[in-house]
Amino acid sequence: MYADRLWYFELTAVLAVVDGEHRVETVEARQYDISDASLLHALLAAIRAGDRGAVERLRQPFGENLLKALVEAYPSLDDWTQRAHLIRAVSGNHDPVVAPVMAAILDIPDDAGGPGDPDMAREVRAIGLSMLETGGSVERFIRYYEDDEAAAASIARYRAG
């Protein structure tokens, strides 16, 4: 748990009818981490602004709900640069829920980062491949980042099924 987490509880009274009267039988509580909502907002703002530094500062071990929300936001992103920043944001989170975006990023064009980030495509493809194949092996990431032919062969194997 992080010190800056914001928690709230939704309390629901479960009523029972006893001798014709409604009485509270139990009270159920559901815990919510509302900091996920603020973190999601901040991450998506940084991603859409193309602010790699802010994306890096916001990276952390995200919970499953936040990872799902980020995966669901992926199709709403405007371009490959934004999608690459999302991949960078979720890299290091080895939850299978990120697999769809890891597979989708394999189609990134080589020039997606432009002159300001020429290795963007190579980096996020390597992140995607290492996550899909090994759940995020650093050794596999390095191999695919450094060897375009190995990355291309792995993508071909992945697509062949």
Side-chain angles (χ1 to χ4, degrees), residues 63-148:
E64 186 176 339
N65 290 335
L66 183 55
L67 285 174
K68 284 180 186 176
L70 287 165
V71 168
E72 290 168 1
Y74 183 89
S76 72
L77 298 174
D78 295 331
D79 56 35
W80 284 108
T81 300
Q82 291 178 3
R83 293 178 193 125
H85 284 305
L86 186 137
I87 295 301
R88 287 170 167 162
V90 301
S91 69
N93 290 281
H94 307 295
D95 192 301
V97 74
V98 300
V101 296
M102 295 299 174
I105 205 65
L106 299 179
D107 292 326
I108 189 171
D110 290 335
D111 62 351
D117 196 352
D119 289 334
M120 174 187 282
R122 174 181 285 130
E123 176 190 353
V124 296
R125 264 194 228 109
I127 291 169
L129 286 169
S130 69
M131 179 62 197
L132 291 168
E133 289 185 1
T134 61
S137 161
V138 173
E139 293 81 16
R140 196 64 64 99
F141 165 80
I142 292 169
R143 177 175 180 219
Y144 292 138
Y145 182 76
E146 294 177 347
D147 188 343
D148 290 337

Coordinates of all heavy atoms in Angstrom, one line a residue, residues 63-148:
G63 N -2.4 -1.6 -9.8 CA -3.3 -2.7 -9.4 C -4.1 -3.1 -10.7 O -4.1 -2.4 -11.7
E64 N -4.7 -4.2 -10.6 CA -5.4 -4.8 -11.7 C -6.5 -3.9 -12.3 O -6.7 -3.8 -13.5 CB -6.0 -6.2 -11.4 CG -6.6 -6.9 -12.6 CD -7.2 -8.3 -12.2 OE1 -6.8 -8.8 -11.2 OE2 -8.0 -8.8 -13.0
N65 N -7.2 -3.2 -11.5 CA -8.3 -2.3 -12.0 C -7.7 -1.2 -12.8 O -8.3 -0.8 -13.8 CB -9.1 -1.8 -10.8 CG -10.0 -2.8 -10.2 OD1 -10.3 -3.8 -10.8 ND2 -10.3 -2.7 -8.9
L66 N -6.6 -0.6 -12.3 CA -6.0 0.5 -13.1 C -5.4 -0.1 -14.4 O -5.5 0.6 -15.4 CB -4.9 1.2 -12.3 CG -4.2 2.4 -13.0 CD1 -5.2 3.4 -13.4 CD2 -3.2 3.0 -12.0
L67 N -4.8 -1.2 -14.4 CA -4.3 -1.8 -15.6 C -5.4 -2.0 -16.6 O -5.3 -1.7 -17.8 CB -3.6 -3.1 -15.3 CG -2.2 -3.0 -14.7 CD1 -1.7 -4.4 -14.3 CD2 -1.2 -2.3 -15.6
K68 N -6.5 -2.6 -16.1 CA -7.7 -2.8 -17.0 C -8.2 -1.4 -17.6 O -8.5 -1.4 -18.8 CB -8.9 -3.4 -16.3 CG -8.7 -4.9 -16.0 CD -9.9 -5.4 -15.3 CE -9.7 -6.8 -14.9 NZ -10.8 -7.4 -14.0
A69 N -8.2 -0.4 -16.8 CA -8.6 0.9 -17.3 C -7.7 1.5 -18.4 O -8.1 2.0 -19.4 CB -8.8 1.9 -16.1
L70 N -6.4 1.2 -18.2 CA -5.4 1.7 -19.2 C -5.5 0.9 -20.5 O -5.5 1.5 -21.6 CB -4.0 1.6 -18.6 CG -3.6 2.6 -17.5 CD1 -2.4 2.2 -16.8 CD2 -3.5 4.0 -18.2
V71 N -5.7 -0.4 -20.3 CA -5.9 -1.2 -21.5 C -7.2 -0.8 -22.3 O -7.2 -0.7 -23.5 CB -6.0 -2.7 -21.1 CG1 -6.5 -3.6 -22.3 CG2 -4.6 -3.2 -20.7
E72 N -8.3 -0.5 -21.5 CA -9.5 0.0 -22.2 C -9.3 1.3 -22.8 O -10.0 1.6 -23.8 CB -10.6 0.0 -21.1 CG -11.1 -1.4 -20.7 CD -12.0 -1.4 -19.4 OE1 -12.3 -0.3 -18.9 OE2 -12.3 -2.5 -19.0
A73 N -8.4 2.2 -22.3 CA -8.2 3.5 -22.9 C -7.3 3.4 -24.2 O -7.4 4.4 -25.0 CB -7.5 4.4 -21.9
Y74 N -6.6 2.3 -24.4 CA -5.7 2.2 -25.5 C -6.3 2.6 -26.9 O -5.8 3.4 -27.6 CB -5.1 0.8 -25.5 CG -4.0 0.6 -26.6 CD1 -2.7 0.8 -26.4 CD2 -4.4 0.1 -27.9 CE1 -1.8 0.6 -27.4 CE2 -3.5 -0.2 -28.8 CZ -2.1 0.1 -28.6 OH -1.2 -0.1 -29.6
P75 N -7.5 2.0 -27.2 CA -8.1 2.4 -28.5 C -8.5 3.8 -28.6 O -8.6 4.3 -29.8 CB -9.4 1.5 -28.6 CG -9.2 0.4 -27.5 CD -8.3 1.0 -26.5
S76 N -8.6 4.5 -27.6 CA -9.0 5.9 -27.6 C -7.8 6.9 -27.9 O -8.0 8.1 -28.1 CB -9.7 6.4 -26.4 OG -8.8 6.5 -25.3
L77 N -6.6 6.3 -27.9 CA -5.4 7.2 -28.1 C -5.3 7.5 -29.6 O -5.7 6.7 -30.4 CB -4.2 6.5 -27.6 CG -4.2 6.2 -26.1 CD1 -3.0 5.3 -25.7 CD2 -4.3 7.4 -25.3
D78 N -4.8 8.7 -29.8 CA -4.9 9.3 -31.2 C -3.8 8.7 -32.1 O -4.1 8.7 -33.3 CB -4.7 10.8 -31.1 CG -5.9 11.5 -30.4 OD1 -7.0 10.9 -30.5 OD2 -5.7 12.5 -29.8
D79 N -2.7 8.4 -31.6 CA -1.6 8.0 -32.6 C -0.6 7.0 -31.9 O -0.8 6.6 -30.8 CB -0.8 9.2 -33.1 CG -0.3 10.0 -31.9 OD1 0.2 9.5 -30.9 OD2 -0.2 11.3 -32.1
W80 N 0.3 6.5 -32.7 CA 1.3 5.5 -32.2 C 2.1 6.0 -31.1 O 2.5 5.3 -30.2 CB 2.1 5.0 -33.4 CG 1.4 4.1 -34.3 CD1 1.0 4.3 -35.6 CD2 1.0 2.7 -34.0 NE1 0.3 3.2 -36.0 CE2 0.3 2.2 -35.1 CE3 1.1 1.9 -32.9 CZ2 -0.2 0.9 -35.1 CZ3 0.6 0.6 -32.9 CH2 -0.1 0.2 -34.0
T81 N 2.5 7.3 -31.1 CA 3.3 7.9 -30.1 C 2.6 7.8 -28.7 O 3.2 7.3 -27.7 CB 3.6 9.4 -30.4 OG1 4.3 9.4 -31.6 CG2 4.5 10.0 -29.3
Q82 N 1.3 8.1 -28.7 CA 0.6 8.0 -27.5 C 0.4 6.5 -27.0 O 0.6 6.2 -25.9 CB -0.8 8.6 -27.6 CG -0.8 10.1 -27.8 CD -2.2 10.7 -28.0 OE1 -3.2 10.0 -28.0 NE2 -2.2 12.0 -28.2
R83 N 0.2 5.6 -28.0 CA 0.1 4.2 -27.7 C 1.5 3.7 -27.1 O 1.5 2.9 -26.1 CB -0.3 3.4 -28.9 CG -1.7 3.7 -29.3 CD -2.1 3.0 -30.6 NE -3.3 3.5 -31.1 CZ -3.4 4.0 -32.4 NH1 -2.4 3.9 -33.2 NH2 -4.6 4.5 -32.7
A84 N 2.6 4.2 -27.7 CA 3.9 3.8 -27.2 C 4.1 4.2 -25.7 O 4.6 3.5 -24.9 CB 5.0 4.3 -28.1
H85 N 3.7 5.5 -25.5 CA 3.8 6.0 -24.1 C 2.9 5.1 -23.1 O 3.4 4.9 -22.0 CB 3.4 7.4 -24.0 CG 4.4 8.4 -24.5 ND1 5.7 8.4 -24.1 CD2 4.4 9.3 -25.5 CE1 6.4 9.3 -24.8 NE2 5.6 9.9 -25.6
L86 N 1.8 4.7 -23.5 CA 1.0 3.8 -22.7 C 1.7 2.5 -22.4 O 1.8 2.0 -21.3 CB -0.4 3.5 -23.3 CG -1.3 2.7 -22.4 CD1 -2.7 3.3 -22.4 CD2 -1.3 1.3 -22.7
I87 N 2.3 1.9 -23.4 CA 3.1 0.7 -23.3 C 4.3 0.9 -22.3 O 4.5 0.1 -21.4 CB 3.6 0.2 -24.6 CG1 2.5 -0.2 -25.5 CG2 4.6 -1.0 -24.4 CD1 1.6 -1.3 -25.0
R88 N 4.9 2.1 -22.4 CA 6.0 2.4 -21.5 C 5.4 2.5 -20.1 O 6.1 2.1 -19.1 CB 6.7 3.7 -21.9 CG 7.5 3.6 -23.1 CD 8.0 4.9 -23.6 NE 9.1 4.8 -24.6 CZ 9.4 5.7 -25.4 NH1 8.8 6.9 -25.4 NH2 10.4 5.6 -26.3
A89 N 4.3 3.1 -19.9 CA 3.7 3.2 -18.6 C 3.4 1.9 -17.9 O 3.5 1.7 -16.7 CB 2.4 4.1 -18.7
V90 N 2.9 0.9 -18.7 CA 2.5 -0.4 -18.1 C 3.6 -1.4 -18.1 O 3.5 -2.5 -17.5 CB 1.2 -1.0 -18.7 CG1 0.0 0.0 -18.6 CG2 1.4 -1.3 -20.2
S91 N 4.7 -1.1 -18.8 CA 5.8 -2.0 -18.8 C 6.3 -2.2 -17.3 O 6.3 -1.4 -16.5 CB 7.0 -1.5 -19.6 OG 7.6 -0.4 -19.0
G92 N 6.6 -3.5 -17.0 CA 7.0 -3.8 -15.7 C 5.9 -4.4 -14.9 O 6.1 -4.9 -13.8
N93 N 4.7 -4.2 -15.4 CA 3.5 -4.8 -14.7 C 3.2 -6.1 -15.5 O 2.7 -6.1 -16.6 CB 2.3 -3.8 -14.8 CG 2.5 -2.6 -14.0 OD1 2.3 -2.7 -12.8 ND2 2.9 -1.5 -14.6
H94 N 3.5 -7.2 -14.9 CA 3.4 -8.5 -15.5 C 2.1 -9.2 -15.4 O 2.0 -10.4 -15.2 CB 4.6 -9.4 -15.0 CG 5.9 -8.7 -15.1 ND1 6.5 -8.4 -16.3 CD2 6.7 -8.3 -14.2 CE1 7.6 -7.8 -16.1 NE2 7.8 -7.7 -14.8
D95 N 1.0 -8.4 -15.5 CA -0.3 -9.0 -15.4 C -0.8 -9.3 -16.8 O -0.7 -8.6 -17.8 CB -1.2 -7.9 -14.8 CG -2.6 -8.5 -14.4 OD1 -3.3 -9.0 -15.2 OD2 -2.9 -8.4 -13.2
P96 N -1.4 -10.5 -17.0 CA -1.9 -10.9 -18.3 C -2.9 -9.9 -18.9 O -3.2 -10.0 -20.1 CB -2.6 -12.3 -18.1 CG -2.0 -12.8 -16.8 CD -1.6 -11.6 -16.0
V97 N -3.5 -9.1 -18.1 CA -4.5 -8.1 -18.6 C -3.9 -7.2 -19.6 O -4.6 -6.6 -20.5 CB -5.2 -7.4 -17.4 CG1 -4.3 -6.3 -16.8 CG2 -6.5 -6.8 -17.9
V98 N -2.6 -7.0 -19.6 CA -2.0 -6.1 -20.6 C -1.6 -6.7 -21.9 O -1.2 -6.1 -22.8 CB -0.7 -5.4 -20.0 CG1 -1.1 -4.6 -18.8 CG2 0.4 -6.4 -19.7
A99 N -1.8 -8.0 -22.0 CA -1.5 -8.8 -23.2 C -2.1 -8.2 -24.5 O -1.4 -8.1 -25.5 CB -1.8 -10.2 -23.1
P100 N -3.4 -7.8 -24.5 CA -3.9 -7.2 -25.8 C -3.2 -6.0 -26.3 O -3.0 -5.8 -27.5 CB -5.4 -6.9 -25.4 CG -5.7 -7.7 -24.2 CD -4.4 -7.9 -23.5
V101 N -2.8 -5.1 -25.4 CA -2.0 -3.9 -25.9 C -0.6 -4.2 -26.2 O 0.0 -3.6 -27.1 CB -2.1 -2.7 -24.8 CG1 -3.5 -2.2 -24.7 CG2 -1.5 -3.1 -23.5
M102 N 0.0 -5.2 -25.6 CA 1.3 -5.7 -26.0 C 1.3 -6.3 -27.4 O 2.2 -6.1 -28.2 CB 1.9 -6.7 -25.0 CG 2.1 -6.1 -23.6 SD 3.3 -4.8 -23.6 CE 3.2 -4.2 -21.9
A103 N 0.2 -7.0 -27.7 CA 0.1 -7.6 -29.0 C -0.2 -6.5 -30.1 O 0.4 -6.5 -31.2 CB -1.0 -8.6 -29.1
A104 N -1.0 -5.5 -29.7 CA -1.4 -4.4 -30.6 C -0.2 -3.6 -31.0 O 0.0 -3.1 -32.1 CB -2.5 -3.6 -30.1
I105 N 0.8 -3.3 -30.0 CA 1.9 -2.5 -30.3 C 2.9 -3.1 -31.2 O 3.7 -2.3 -31.8 CB 2.6 -2.0 -28.9 CG1 3.3 -0.7 -29.1 CG2 3.5 -3.1 -28.4 CD1 2.4 0.5 -29.4
L106 N 2.8 -4.3 -31.5 CA 3.7 -5.0 -32.4 C 3.6 -4.4 -33.8 O 4.6 -4.5 -34.7 CB 3.5 -6.5 -32.5 CG 3.7 -7.2 -31.2 CD1 3.5 -8.7 -31.4 CD2 5.1 -7.0 -30.6
D107 N 2.5 -3.7 -34.2 CA 2.3 -3.1 -35.5 C 2.8 -1.7 -35.6 O 2.6 -1.1 -36.6 CB 0.8 -3.2 -35.8 CG 0.2 -4.6 -36.0 OD1 1.0 -5.4 -36.5 OD2 -0.9 -4.8 -35.6
I108 N 3.4 -1.2 -34.6 CA 3.9 0.2 -34.6 C 4.9 0.4 -35.8 O 5.8 -0.4 -36.0 CB 4.6 0.6 -33.2 CG1 4.8 2.1 -33.2 CG2 5.8 -0.2 -33.0 CD1 5.3 2.6 -31.8
P109 N 4.7 1.5 -36.5 CA 5.7 1.8 -37.6 C 7.0 2.2 -37.1 O 7.1 2.7 -36.0 CB 5.0 2.9 -38.4 CG 3.7 3.2 -37.7 CD 3.6 2.4 -36.5
D110 N 8.1 1.8 -37.8 CA 9.4 2.1 -37.4 C 9.7 3.6 -37.0 O 10.5 3.9 -36.2 CB 10.5 1.6 -38.4 CG 10.5 0.1 -38.5 OD1 10.2 -0.6 -37.5 OD2 10.9 -0.4 -39.5
D111 N 9.0 4.5 -37.8 CA 9.3 5.9 -37.6 C 8.3 6.6 -36.6 O 8.3 7.8 -36.6 CB 9.3 6.6 -38.9 CG 7.9 6.5 -39.6 OD1 7.0 5.8 -39.1 OD2 7.7 7.2 -40.6
A112 N 7.6 5.8 -35.8 CA 6.6 6.4 -35.0 C 7.1 7.5 -34.0 O 6.4 8.4 -33.7 CB 5.9 5.3 -34.2
G113 N 8.3 7.3 -33.5 CA 8.9 8.3 -32.5 C 9.4 9.6 -33.2 O 9.7 10.5 -32.4
G114 N 9.5 9.6 -34.5 CA 10.1 10.8 -35.1 C 11.5 11.0 -34.7 O 12.1 10.2 -34.0
P115 N 12.0 12.2 -35.1 CA 13.4 12.4 -34.8 C 13.7 12.6 -33.3 O 14.8 12.4 -32.8 CB 13.7 13.7 -35.5 CG 12.4 14.3 -35.9 CD 11.4 13.2 -35.9
G116 N 12.7 13.0 -32.5 CA 12.8 13.2 -31.1 C 13.0 11.9 -30.3 O 13.5 11.9 -29.1
D117 N 12.5 10.8 -30.8 CA 12.5 9.5 -30.1 C 12.7 8.4 -31.1 O 11.8 7.6 -31.4 CB 11.3 9.3 -29.3 CG 11.3 8.3 -28.2 OD1 12.3 7.5 -28.2 OD2 10.4 8.1 -27.4
P118 N 13.9 8.3 -31.8 CA 14.0 7.4 -32.9 C 13.9 5.9 -32.6 O 13.7 5.1 -33.5 CB 15.4 7.8 -33.5 CG 16.1 8.4 -32.4 CD 15.1 9.1 -31.6
D119 N 14.2 5.6 -31.3 CA 14.1 4.2 -30.9 C 12.8 3.7 -30.3 O 12.7 2.6 -29.8 CB 15.3 3.8 -29.9 CG 16.6 3.9 -30.6 OD1 16.7 3.6 -31.8 OD2 17.6 4.1 -29.9
M120 N 11.8 4.6 -30.4 CA 10.5 4.3 -29.8 C 9.9 3.0 -30.2 O 9.6 2.1 -29.4 CB 9.5 5.4 -30.0 CG 8.1 5.1 -29.5 SD 6.9 6.3 -30.0 CE 7.3 7.6 -28.9
A121 N 9.8 2.8 -31.5 CA 9.2 1.6 -32.1 C 10.0 0.3 -31.6 O 9.4 -0.7 -31.2 CB 9.1 1.6 -33.6
R122 N 11.3 0.4 -31.7 CA 12.1 -0.8 -31.3 C 11.9 -1.1 -29.8 O 11.8 -2.2 -29.4 CB 13.6 -0.4 -31.6 CG 14.5 -1.5 -31.0 CD 16.0 -1.2 -31.3 NE 16.3 -1.4 -32.7 CZ 16.8 -0.6 -33.5 NH1 17.2 0.6 -33.1 NH2 17.0 -0.9 -34.8
E123 N 11.9 0.0 -29.0 CA 11.7 -0.2 -27.6 C 10.4 -0.8 -27.2 O 10.3 -1.8 -26.5 CB 11.9 1.1 -26.9 CG 11.6 1.0 -25.4 CD 11.5 2.4 -24.7 OE1 11.7 3.4 -25.3 OE2 11.2 2.4 -23.5
V124 N 9.3 -0.3 -27.7 CA 8.0 -0.8 -27.3 C 7.7 -2.2 -27.9 O 7.0 -3.0 -27.3 CB 6.8 0.2 -27.5 CG1 7.1 1.4 -26.7 CG2 6.7 0.6 -29.0
R125 N 8.2 -2.4 -29.1 CA 8.1 -3.8 -29.7 C 8.8 -4.8 -28.8 O 8.3 -5.9 -28.5 CB 8.7 -3.8 -31.1 CG 7.7 -3.7 -32.2 CD 8.2 -4.1 -33.5 NE 7.9 -3.0 -34.5 CZ 8.8 -2.2 -35.0 NH1 10.1 -2.3 -34.7 NH2 8.4 -1.2 -35.8
A126 N 10.0 -4.4 -28.4 CA 10.8 -5.3 -27.5 C 10.0 -5.5 -26.2 O 10.0 -6.6 -25.6 CB 12.2 -4.8 -27.2
I127 N 9.4 -4.5 -25.6 CA 8.6 -4.6 -24.4 C 7.5 -5.6 -24.6 O 7.2 -6.5 -23.9 CB 8.1 -3.2 -23.9 CG1 9.2 -2.3 -23.4 CG2 7.0 -3.4 -22.8 CD1 8.8 -0.9 -23.2
G128 N 6.7 -5.3 -25.8 CA 5.6 -6.2 -26.1 C 6.0 -7.6 -26.3 O 5.3 -8.5 -25.7
L129 N 7.0 -7.9 -27.0 CA 7.4 -9.3 -27.3 C 7.9 -10.0 -26.0 O 7.5 -11.1 -25.7 CB 8.6 -9.3 -28.3 CG 8.1 -9.1 -29.8 CD1 9.3 -8.8 -30.6 CD2 7.3 -10.2 -30.3
S130 N 8.7 -9.3 -25.2 CA 9.2 -9.9 -24.0 C 8.0 -10.2 -23.0 O 8.0 -11.2 -22.3 CB 10.2 -9.1 -23.3 OG 9.7 -7.9 -22.8
M131 N 7.0 -9.3 -23.0 CA 5.8 -9.6 -22.1 C 5.0 -10.8 -22.6 O 4.6 -11.6 -21.9 CB 5.0 -8.3 -22.0 CG 3.8 -8.4 -21.2 SD 4.2 -8.8 -19.5 CE 2.6 -9.4 -18.9
L132 N 4.8 -10.8 -23.9 CA 3.9 -11.8 -24.5 C 4.6 -13.2 -24.4 O 3.9 -14.2 -24.2 CB 3.6 -11.5 -26.0 CG 2.7 -10.3 -26.2 CD1 2.7 -9.9 -27.7 CD2 1.3 -10.7 -25.7
E133 N 5.9 -13.3 -24.6 CA 6.6 -14.5 -24.6 C 7.0 -15.1 -23.2 O 6.9 -16.2 -23.0 CB 7.9 -14.4 -25.4 CG 7.6 -14.3 -26.9 CD 8.9 -14.3 -27.7 OE1 10.0 -14.4 -27.2 OE2 8.8 -14.2 -29.0
T134 N 7.4 -14.2 -22.4 CA 8.0 -14.6 -21.1 C 7.5 -13.9 -19.9 O 8.0 -14.0 -18.8 CB 9.6 -14.5 -21.1 OG1 9.9 -13.1 -21.3 CG2 10.2 -15.3 -22.2
G135 N 6.5 -13.1 -20.1 CA 5.9 -12.3 -18.9 C 6.8 -11.2 -18.5 O 6.7 -10.7 -17.4
G136 N 7.7 -10.8 -19.4 CA 8.5 -9.6 -19.1 C 10.0 -9.8 -18.8 O 10.6 -9.0 -18.1
S137 N 10.6 -10.8 -19.4 CA 12.0 -11.1 -19.2 C 12.9 -10.0 -19.7 O 12.8 -9.5 -20.8 CB 12.4 -12.4 -19.9 OG 13.7 -12.5 -20.1
V138 N 13.8 -9.5 -18.8 CA 14.7 -8.4 -19.2 C 15.6 -8.9 -20.3 O 15.9 -8.2 -21.2 CB 15.5 -7.9 -17.9 CG1 16.5 -6.9 -18.3 CG2 14.5 -7.3 -16.9
E139 N 16.1 -10.1 -20.1 CA 17.0 -10.7 -21.1 C 16.4 -10.7 -22.5 O 17.0 -10.4 -23.5 CB 17.5 -12.1 -20.7 CG 18.3 -12.1 -19.5 CD 17.5 -12.1 -18.2 OE1 16.3 -12.3 -18.2 OE2 18.2 -11.8 -17.1
R140 N 15.1 -11.2 -22.5 CA 14.4 -11.2 -23.8 C 14.2 -9.8 -24.4 O 14.3 -9.6 -25.6 CB 13.1 -12.0 -23.6 CG 12.4 -12.4 -24.9 CD 13.2 -13.5 -25.6 NE 13.4 -14.7 -24.9 CZ 12.6 -15.8 -25.1 NH1 11.7 -15.9 -25.9 NH2 12.9 -16.9 -24.4
F141 N 13.8 -8.9 -23.5 CA 13.7 -7.5 -24.0 C 15.0 -7.0 -24.6 O 14.9 -6.4 -25.7 CB 13.3 -6.5 -22.8 CG 13.5 -5.1 -23.1 CD1 12.5 -4.4 -23.9 CD2 14.7 -4.4 -22.8 CE1 12.7 -3.1 -24.2 CE2 14.9 -3.1 -23.1 CZ 13.9 -2.4 -23.8
I142 N 16.1 -7.2 -24.0 CA 17.4 -6.7 -24.5 C 17.7 -7.4 -25.8 O 18.1 -6.7 -26.8 CB 18.5 -7.0 -23.5 CG1 18.3 -6.1 -22.3 CG2 19.9 -6.8 -24.1 CD1 19.2 -6.4 -21.1
R143 N 17.4 -8.7 -25.9 CA 17.6 -9.4 -27.2 C 16.8 -8.7 -28.3 O 17.4 -8.5 -29.4 CB 17.3 -10.9 -27.1 CG 17.4 -11.6 -28.4 CD 17.2 -13.1 -28.2 NE 17.4 -13.7 -29.5 CZ 16.6 -14.7 -29.9 NH1 15.6 -15.2 -29.2 NH2 16.8 -15.2 -31.1
Y144 N 15.5 -8.5 -28.1 CA 14.7 -8.0 -29.2 C 15.0 -6.5 -29.4 O 14.8 -6.0 -30.5 CB 13.2 -8.2 -28.8 CG 12.8 -9.6 -28.9 CD1 12.0 -10.2 -27.9 CD2 13.3 -10.5 -29.9 CE1 11.6 -11.5 -28.0 CE2 13.0 -11.8 -29.9 CZ 12.1 -12.3 -29.0 OH 11.8 -13.6 -29.0
Y145 N 15.4 -5.8 -28.4 CA 15.8 -4.4 -28.6 C 17.0 -4.2 -29.5 O 17.1 -3.4 -30.3 CB 16.0 -3.7 -27.2 CG 16.3 -2.2 -27.4 CD1 15.3 -1.3 -27.7 CD2 17.6 -1.7 -27.2 CE1 15.5 0.0 -27.8 CE2 17.9 -0.4 -27.3 CZ 16.9 0.5 -27.6 OH 17.1 1.8 -27.8
E146 N 18.0 -5.1 -29.3 CA 19.3 -5.1 -30.0 C 19.3 -5.8 -31.3 O 20.1 -5.5 -32.1 CB 20.4 -5.6 -29.1 CG 20.6 -4.8 -27.9 CD 21.7 -5.3 -26.9 OE1 22.1 -6.5 -27.1 OE2 22.1 -4.6 -26.0
D147 N 18.3 -6.7 -31.5 CA 18.4 -7.5 -32.8 C 17.0 -7.5 -33.5 O 16.1 -8.2 -33.2 CB 18.7 -9.0 -32.4 CG 18.9 -9.9 -33.5 OD1 18.6 -9.5 -34.7 OD2 19.5 -11.0 -33.3
D148 N 17.0 -6.6 -34.5 CA 15.7 -6.4 -35.3 C 15.3 -7.7 -36.0 O 14.1 -7.9 -36.1 CB 15.9 -5.3 -36.3 CG 16.0 -3.9 -35.7 OD1 15.5 -3.8 -34.5 OD2 16.6 -3.0 -36.3

